[in-house]
Amino acid sequence: MEHHIDVRDLRKSYGAAVALDGISFRVAPGHVTGFVGPNGAGKTTTMRIILGLAAPTSGTATVAGCTYREVPSPLRLVGSLLDAGAVHPARRADHHLLWLAQATGLSRARVPQVLEVVGLGGVAKKRVGTFSLGMRQRLGIAAALLGDPPILVLDEPTNGLDPEGIWWMRGLLRDLASEGRAILVSSHLMAELEGVASHILVLGRGRILADSTTEELLRHASAGRVLVLTDHAPAALSALAAAAPGRVEPAGPDRVTVAGLTSAQVLRVLEEAHVPLHEVRAYQATLEEAYRDLTVGSVDHAGAGHRGEGARP
Amino acid sequence: MTIVTRSRTGAQPFVALMTAEWTKLRSVRSWWVGLLSSIFIIVVVSLGGASGSTVESLDVTVGPDGEAVTDAFQFVHQPLPGDGSITARVGNFRGTEPLSPWAKAGVIIKDGTSPGAGYAALLVTPDHGMRLQSNFTDDRYVDQTGPADSWLRLTRDGDSVTGWNSRDGRSWREVGTVDVGFGRGPVEVGLFVASPDVFRTERSLAGSSGGSFPTLGTAEFDDVEVKGVSGSTAWASLDVGKPSTPGSATGEATSWTVSGSGDVAPLPPDTDAVRLSLTGVFIGAIPVLAVSVLLITAEFRHGMLAATIAAAPRRRRVVLAKAIVIALTAFAATLLAAAAAFLLSQPILQANGFTPPMYPSRSLLEGPVLRAVLGTAVTVGLLAVLALALGVVLRRSAAAISIVVFLVVLPQLLVAALPVGIGRTLLLFTPGAGFGLQRTTATYEHVTASCLPEDGCLAGGPWLALAAPIVWAAVGLAVALAAIRRRDL
Amino acid sequence: MSYTVRAIRAELTKQRTVPAPTWLLAVTLVALVGIGLAVVGTVDLEHCPPGGCPEDLARHSLTGTVVAQALAALLGVLAVGDEYAHSLVGTTLVAVPRRGAVVLSKVAVTSLLVSAVAVTGVAGVYTIGRTMAPRSGFTTANGYSPLDLSDPTIQRVFGGTVLYLLLVAIIGLGVALLVRETAWATVAVLSMLYMIPVLTQFISDPSWERLLQRLSPSAGLAIQNTVVSANPPLTPWAGLVVTAAYAAVLATAGTLIFIHRDP
């Protein structure tokens, strides 16, 4: 069974504004594919097109070879979470899942099962209007899992979750992927995907900036840099800057990274400058840094506030 | 040092709150569209109403003051060259069933026998006692009439006519003097009977139609005595004007049996031309009322109220500020629309036959018209407060909008299916009662005119109409203020 | 189960699991029966000349339709508007991606609910008309025949009322699909239903009045006429056709917009 998501040359423009400028990618089964990019990069638009909620200007998006609208029982093929707020506040949680189950011909016994999976078993009969954002997010996940689908499309699923919830979500995503599902998870915070996504798609200004495995991306971002831990970061900075102009960066109050010098060369420079240090080792970049390197220049509204709900782990 | 006025709690001054609410109202495009569409609908629908209404220009009798009158009755008369008097006993007043409660039998001094001429009359009616009436519009209650006969007397002294009545024909009581204005010249004096058509209203959901049915009244006159005539002048009888049924008179000298149809009274128009030029308000008010509801429900929905309340810690002041802002806005928009609708409708109505004397040309600034236009605007302003209050209490825009529309529009429609008396009273208690102020047709106690509640003819007259919307708005606001303070957001 | 049947089941659950539709249906029932009770109880035949007024008992007893129609229309508005209000349209379309099936399920469920309540309400009104009207003077002695469901005219009046309410609910649905906003859809629907009846109360030119009555979305109320005047603006069935035309045009336009515009 081939349960891919396939996106080919997708374009979407709203009048003169181009939201997606010809993107192509493929989400393979058995992996969590992270879909990252700044706010407004086009992540949600792409997901809406995959789910048939928006028509592309050109190009195609298919799930298991069909466009979403052709799928006879869509919730059995694709589970999705776009907007956790999209629930009727006066409806009970179990009723919300019940109509979804009926719409796709699922047994009503699935409802309590998925509510247990997401930890909402105890509030099944409560009105959704009384739920916190985190609980609504869990309800959204429950709806996505309702049809036990081989494909999952989740837009910012950790929004509004507390640290415990985020930890739970990461575990859930890993488990779902290990069962062989194709999972596309978007986030505007790369750090959230660290240790979960084995494949990363970086979107900026409607274009794919990177499409690679997480390992590769990190290797590329760390490329030959050396990390220096020292209590005298300013002194180290100036000493190294003299040896490798323009390739030295502060990385924290007690650390500095250098590119273009080997560890031995760094040690020698600092010894000569009499800068005490704790450690010199090969630098391991974080996803966040890899992402920052890629998206510099592709942020539409730099300086504008992030959606505040996202909590970092 | 500059002193800034602040309340003890440190909240903003109330004016600042109102300015903030005005800014909010002004900054939502769909709300502006709502306000403008209200103005547009009021004007366009009113003009449609005016265009869709025509009256045939009837040959209307004109009274001494230029007003439209009905002047048709059976008149047994003789000339009276100068001052003098007439005395008669009237009794056994009967007629077709049903006889109009305002059928008239009595003595009259009239400036000739042509319809519309000035007169003074002392008369009895089946249901409204004895009356002294003159020149159509003047009507005074004199006495009750019992089962026994009544003696009536009118004495003329130039322009003045004085009425007298008696229970026994011996002791006389002066009941009043009226100034008729026929100078010192010759007039006609005599006995008369008139019985107006009876209106019957058929009720159906499509509206109501009034049918009128002719009646004929008959009275016996005895002891007829005329003073001031030279020698014995012969009596003559005729129908003045065109009564629905021809009358008749038999008798001689002092004893007569007179049957007559018709009426001697002002003729109010069937249609209120001012109200007709404001018909768009019932429907046109709906968008404004919807904006009033949304002013608060949109905040509930978008969670903006938390921000508003944070900016103004006392919730009740916020609701009050909203109420004042929307009331003034609704008032201003409606005033503009109603004035425009009235002014633009006038030429259309005139072209459709709404012409003097029945429909005198009206100016926006004359009393009843100004009352109609201002009353309409005030009513919509009060309804806007009610709509806002419903929004606060119900928190659901569709529910609040529907209820306020039901309260305003449905009584107007449903009242046509209820008996007229019940309808006139019930409508008075609905918030839309204020639109009763649109009625400008003068009402006369002695005229049985079509007075249907859906035409704005409510129990208690125009001004009482404003009581209901005031009470609805006040009670609504009070409940809303209590609700907003008690509830969690 | 077929695709559309599943969508209908889901829509029925949606309507059942929020309070507003239940309330609306209950109030519709109360309006039909309660107003019928009030009108039949207070109608006054005393002013009528011998021979009786041409009072239309069947139509009178159904006066509550004037209110019930708005509530039925609101049910249609809310079936769509509530989803836009809470961004649920996306959720619905993810579960049922074929737009046509979504509209069809909403039309089917709204029709089902409105018909069920209309049939109940009309049956209640019929019972009131049969038992109470004689006490208000509608007796055989006074020249009124009692309501009788075997009479084809009475069948047309009461059955037609159910059809009319159903069509009005679909008008509400169509308007909401076009407007996508509960509040303004409510304004539009209520204005449509009440504008012309209010206006014809004021205007006096018979040809205008006839024209407006023929164009009115509420022209279908003519189905309730039993005492037919010599030259009515609309025959009962022609009136219902006018309302049906509004429902068809608005629902079609709404569906096309729904299919071709991104939610």
Side-chain angles (χ1 to χ4, degrees):
Chain A
M1 282 255 288
E2 279 299 291
H3 292 305
H4 288 109
I5 301 173
D6 256 307
V7 169
R8 289 276 156 266
D9 300 321
L10 210 55
R11 279 171 212 279
K12 175 77 177 174
S13 45
Y14 299 96
V18 178
L20 294 177
D21 193 7
I23 64 169
S24 300
F25 62 84
R26 173 171 245 238
V27 178
H31 296 282
V32 174
T33 300
F35 195 29
V36 288
N39 288 330
K43 304 186 296 289
T44 303
T45 303
T46 309
M47 289 182 157
R48 289 174 65 83
I49 293 174
I50 294 171
L51 295 171
L53 291 176
T57 308
S58 67
T60 58
T62 56
V63 284
C66 311
T67 63
Y68 191 83
R69 291 194 196 192
E70 299 164 352
V71 179
S73 287
L75 297 192
R76 291 170 189 262
L77 179 67
V78 184
S80 60
L81 167 65
L82 281 190
D83 174 6
V87 281
H88 197 298
R91 194 172 277 135
R92 280 164 33 178
D94 55 347
H95 285 156
H96 177 69
L97 297 177
L98 177 60
W99 75 259
L100 283 169
Q102 289 171 334
T104 204
L106 293 165
S107 149
R108 76 168 50 217
R110 277 298 287 165
V111 172
Q113 287 171 12
V114 289
L115 279 170
E116 280 308 324
V117 169
V118 300
L120 291 179
V123 292
K125 305 216 178 301
K126 285 242 170 10
R127 291 187 167 196
V128 182
T130 63
F131 282 18
S132 68
L133 183 59
M135 288 161 87
R136 288 182 196 206
Q137 206 74 35
R138 286 173 186 257
L139 183 61
I141 298 290
L145 298 178
L146 200 58
D148 195 16
I151 298 173
L152 284 162
V153 175
L154 310 172
D155 193 11
E156 309 260 2
T158 50
N159 247 353
L161 291 181
D162 54 17
E164 187 274 331
I166 291 173
W167 180 82
W168 164 80
M169 175 72 70
R170 291 154 68 99
L172 180 69
L173 292 177
R174 272 192 297 260
D175 291 349
L176 291 168
S178 69
E179 290 163 18
R181 297 174 218 259
I183 307 178
L184 181 65
V185 181
S186 79
S187 176
H188 65 286
L189 298 173
M190 186 69 125
E192 284 183 359
L193 298 170
E194 194 130 32
V196 178
S198 54
H199 199 97
I200 299 282
L201 290 163
V202 180
L203 196 62
R205 291 201 175 185
R207 290 170 183 278
I208 297 283
L209 302 176
D211 179 356
S212 69
T213 63
T214 312
E215 274 171 46
E216 231 176 288
L217 201 66
L218 290 178
R219 200 181 317 127
H220 185 77
S222 348
R225 285 202 276 177
V226 173
L227 176 72
V228 180
L229 291 180
T230 169
D231 291 334
H232 304 270
L237 208 59
S238 51
L240 290 166
R247 300 160 96 175
V248 185
E249 279 176 35
D254 63 345
R255 55 193 66 197
V256 173
T257 66
V258 193
L261 297 176
T262 64
S263 301
Q265 285 169 319
V266 169
L267 270 173
R268 196 173 317 122
V269 170
L270 292 178
E271 241 168 63
E272 281 167 8
H274 304 292
V275 179
L277 53 88
H278 301 297
E279 194 182 341
V280 173
R281 59 173 154 85
Y283 179 69
Q284 185 70 41
T286 61
L287 269 179
E288 196 68 40
E289 285 171 287
Y291 169 59
R292 203 174 54 221
D293 289 349
L294 283 165
T295 54
V296 165
S298 73
V299 182
D300 267 341
H301 27 69
H306 283 288
R307 271 181 255 171
E309 314 93 323
R312 283 162 193 263
Chain B
M1 192 179 122
T2 323
I3 295 168
V4 181
T5 317
R6 273 174 185 272
S7 64
R8 266 180 305 134
T9 54
Q12 303 120 294
F14 193 66
V15 176
L17 266 183
M18 279 174 51
T19 318
E21 291 303 331
W22 169 244
T23 306
K24 274 192 234 165
L25 175 62
R26 181 159 79 70
S27 54
V28 177
R29 198 173 58 109
S30 67
W31 297 356
W32 263 114
V33 174
L35 287 176
L36 292 178
S37 55
S38 260
I39 296 176
F40 180 79
I41 293 171
I42 290 174
V43 174
V44 168
V45 173
S46 298
L47 292 184
S51 311
S53 295
T54 48
V55 283
E56 291 166 38
S57 37
L58 297 166
D59 219 358
V60 175
T61 307
V62 178
D65 302 323
E67 76 281 18
V69 298
T70 313
D71 199 7
F73 57 96
Q74 175 70 22
F75 192 14
V76 178
H77 64 102
Q78 58 178 289
L80 180 69
D83 293 344
S85 73
I86 180 167
T87 306
R89 181 176 65 153
V90 60
N92 194 18
F93 195 12
R94 61 196 186 273
T96 48
E97 281 299 327
L99 187 60
S100 162
W102 277 106
K104 301 173 175 72
V107 292
I108 185 168
I109 300 176
K110 189 172 171 73
D111 194 2
T113 56
S114 55
Y119 72 94
L122 187 62
L123 53 98
V124 293
T125 62
D127 291 2
H128 297 280
M130 186 185 294
R131 326 284 297 198
L132 177 64
Q133 297 183 342
S134 64
N135 288 1
F136 306 99
T137 51
D138 185 26
D139 166 56
R140 303 177 196 182
Y141 172 77
V142 167
D143 196 0
Q144 63 194 46
T145 47
D149 295 347
S150 305
W151 276 265
L152 313 172
R153 174 180 292 162
L154 287 176
T155 57
R156 178 205 179 192
D157 178 11
D159 276 339
S160 296
V161 175
T162 305
W164 309 77
N165 83 328
S166 170
R167 300 250 166 121
D168 52 14
R170 288 186 296 275
S171 57
W172 290 87
R173 181 171 73 99
E174 185 180 331
V175 295
T177 300
V178 291
D179 195 349
V180 184
F182 21 63
R184 308 208 75 89
V187 292
E188 294 291 325
V189 64
L191 317 167
F192 82 107
V193 172
S195 183
D197 295 353
V198 169
F199 284 96
R200 198 190 67 203
T201 307
E202 286 163 18
R203 292 298 205 178
S204 71
L205 280 184
S208 68
S209 52
S212 66
F213 300 85
T215 62
L216 189 72
T218 302
E220 312 276 355
F221 293 90
D222 291 305
D223 301 338
V224 180
E225 186 189 4
V226 178
K227 284 181 179 164
V229 290
S230 48
S232 58
T233 316
W235 288 101
S237 71
L238 85 166
D239 272 329
V240 171
K242 296 189 193 72
S244 334
T245 309
S248 62
T250 53
E252 54 178 334
T254 61
S255 183
W256 289 86
T257 300
V258 184
S259 293
S261 182
D263 202 4
V264 188
L267 179 62
D270 287 339
T271 310
D272 191 320
V274 173
R275 186 169 166 86
L276 189 56
S277 56
L278 298 173
T279 50
V281 176
F282 274 95
I283 296 300
I286 297 178
V288 161
L289 299 180
V291 172
S292 317
V293 167
L294 287 170
L295 201 58
I296 187 80
T297 53
E299 296 209 10
F300 283 128
R301 216 183 87 199
H302 300 135
M304 237 178 87
L305 204 59
T308 306
I309 300 298
R314 294 169 68 184
R315 302 176 186 183
R316 293 203 289 178
R317 281 160 45 102
V318 172
V319 172
L320 213 54
K322 281 180 190 293
I324 293 172
V325 166
I326 195 62
L328 292 176
T329 308
F331 170 80
T334 313
L335 187 63
L336 183 71
F342 171 78
L343 292 173
L344 295 172
S345 293
Q346 294 314 300
I348 300 175
L349 287 173
Q350 272 159 29
N352 284 359
F354 289 84
T355 46
M358 186 75 108
Y359 301 96
S361 52
R362 316 294 291 261
S363 132
L364 182 59
L365 296 177
E366 73 184 73
V369 178
L370 203 58
R371 184 184 67 195
V373 169
L374 278 173
T376 301
V378 168
T379 304
V380 175
L382 291 166
L383 291 175
V385 174
L386 176 63
L388 176 82
L390 282 168
V392 171
V393 175
L394 299 172
R395 299 177 175 215
R396 300 281 304 254
S397 36
I401 291 170
S402 311
I403 288 177
V404 76
V405 170
F406 283 177
L407 286 173
V408 176
V409 175
L410 283 180
Q412 178 71 21
L413 288 177
L414 287 178
V415 78
L418 290 174
V420 176
I422 296 178
R424 288 183 60 189
T425 310
L426 272 188
L427 207 57
L428 194 61
F429 291 98
T430 67
F435 293 129
L437 281 169
Q438 292 175 350
R439 188 176 170 89
T440 60
T441 308
T443 47
Y444 299 100
E445 201 205 335
H446 59 298
V447 181
T448 317
S450 133
C451 177
L452 298 175
E454 59 268 36
D455 292 336
C457 187
L458 307 179
W463 284 111
L464 192 60
L466 213 47
I470 290 174
V471 170
W472 278 90
V475 171
L477 194 58
V479 172
L481 291 177
I484 196 81
R485 190 169 65 150
R486 207 178 49 241
R487 283 208 195 141
D488 295 335
L489 290 175
Chain C
M1 251 190 302
S2 98
Y3 197 88
T4 310
V5 173
R6 288 186 337 219
I8 291 173
R9 260 190 83 194
E11 183 63 28
L12 195 60
T13 301
K14 275 197 228 170
Q15 298 274 324
R16 189 171 62 75
T17 53
V18 287
T22 313
W23 273 100
L24 268 176
L25 292 168
V27 178
T28 309
L29 193 63
V30 169
L32 269 177
V33 177
I35 295 177
L37 206 63
V39 170
V40 174
T42 60
V43 74
D44 150 31
L45 294 175
E46 279 168 23
H47 63 280
C48 295
C53 292
E55 294 287 8
D56 189 337
L57 174 60
R59 179 183 188 134
H60 249 90
S61 61
L62 285 167
T63 300
T65 317
V66 175
V67 180
Q69 60 175 350
L71 299 167
L74 271 182
L75 191 79
V77 166
L78 284 182
V80 174
D82 235 16
E83 296 218 345
Y84 280 104
H86 301 110
S87 326
L88 263 169
V89 185
T91 316
T92 299
L93 287 177
V94 164
V96 185
R98 288 187 212 154
R99 273 66 173 158
V102 172
V103 175
L104 203 64
S105 72
K106 286 188 182 295
V107 169
V109 169
T110 305
S111 306
L112 183 77
L113 295 177
V114 169
S115 318
V117 164
V119 167
T120 317
V122 156
V125 169
Y126 176 75
T127 314
I128 289 168
R130 268 186 81 90
T131 56
M132 267 190 63
R135 276 180 250 159
S136 301
F138 290 94
T139 54
T140 326
N142 283 352
Y144 298 99
S145 48
L147 292 182
D148 184 356
L149 208 52
S150 62
D151 178 351
T153 311
I154 298 299
Q155 288 170 9
R156 187 248 294 158
V157 169
F158 284 87
T161 301
V162 173
L163 275 178
Y164 173 73
L165 290 174
L166 194 153
L167 290 171
V168 167
I170 292 171
I171 288 180
L173 221 147
V175 169
L177 282 172
L178 289 169
V179 179
R180 299 176 166 215
E181 222 278 323
T182 311
W184 295 112
T186 306
V187 168
V189 166
L190 294 181
S191 304
M192 281 174 67
L193 289 177
Y194 292 128
M195 166 123 68
I196 289 176
V198 168
L199 196 59
T200 49
Q201 279 199 336
F202 294 99
I203 66 171
S204 65
D205 188 327
S207 58
W208 268 73
E209 196 173 336
R210 289 166 68 85
L211 178 70
L212 287 176
Q213 281 171 350
R214 285 176 180 165
L215 290 177
S216 171
S218 52
L221 281 174
I223 199 74
Q224 296 180 337
N225 290 339
T226 60
V227 181
V228 179
S229 54
N231 184 16
L234 280 161
T235 63
W237 288 106
L240 205 61
V241 167
V242 172
T243 303
Y246 272 99
V249 168
L250 287 166
T252 309
T255 308
L256 289 177
I257 291 271
F258 188 66
I259 289 175
H260 294 291
R261 224 177 355 174
D262 295 345

